[in-house]
Amino acid sequence: MIIVSTGYKFGLFGGTPFTQMFLNGCIELYPGTMPTDPDQPFSQAPIGRITMNGGAYVHGNPANSLAYELNGNGALYKPVNDSWVLSGLVSGTATWGRVFGGADTKQFSRTAGRVLFEVNPADSSGMFMTDPVIVPAMQRAVTFFLLGIPPFS
């Protein structure tokens, strides 16, 4: 399952480029139950984070943030030559994740573009991991990422 925020929907119809919506952001992975409302504040600490080269992420700073390519088929991709790495922060099993941009304050927002997704979903909408168990300081390459547009819930 994929759930998108109000800001994502407004951005899509308001002409905000996706590369701008998620500029200077990253992808965070979490254990437990995925929230049902992506507009709500981030209230849980991530267990893993995907950044450029596995570097430390400083919210809103372009260093180590992810860049996306928008292809003609209407999807966001990980650029082929970019090195995305999942870094473990604490121990746990990833069950869901969040894509967000550096301008996102992680507070309640109806304007921030956010995408929530399941890890290893029963259908084809989410993130697939051969091993969703995360431990501190682990690093695992992310070889492919695709976000179909628009995944409305």
Side-chain angles (χ1 to χ4, degrees), residues 2 8 22 74-77 99 115 145-149 151:
I2 294 176
Y8 178 99
F22 300 117
L76 286 179
Y77 284 88
V99 179
V115 177
F145 180 84
L146 163 78
L147 176 63
I149 300 169

Side-chain angles (χ1 to χ4, degrees), residues 13-14 22 40 55 64 76 79 88 90-92 100 104 111 113 117-118 123 135:
F13 293 113
F22 300 117
Q40 295 302 314
N64 302 318
L76 286 179
V90 298
S91 294
F100 63 95
D104 190 337
T111 59
F117 57 86
E118 284 182 287
D123 61 15
V135 296

Side-chain angles (χ1 to χ4, degrees), residues 36-86:
T36 57
D37 184 355
D39 294 338
Q40 295 302 314
F42 293 29
S43 59
Q44 185 178 0
I47 60 172
R49 184 174 288 131
I50 300 172
T51 62
M52 184 70 71
N53 300 313
Y57 177 73
V58 177
H59 189 74
N61 188 319
N64 302 318
S65 66
L66 301 177
Y68 301 88
E69 286 183 354
L70 181 61
N71 287 12
N73 62 358
L76 286 179
Y77 284 88
K78 170 194 157 296
V80 173
N81 294 322
D82 282 4
S83 174
W84 289 15
V85 176
L86 166 60

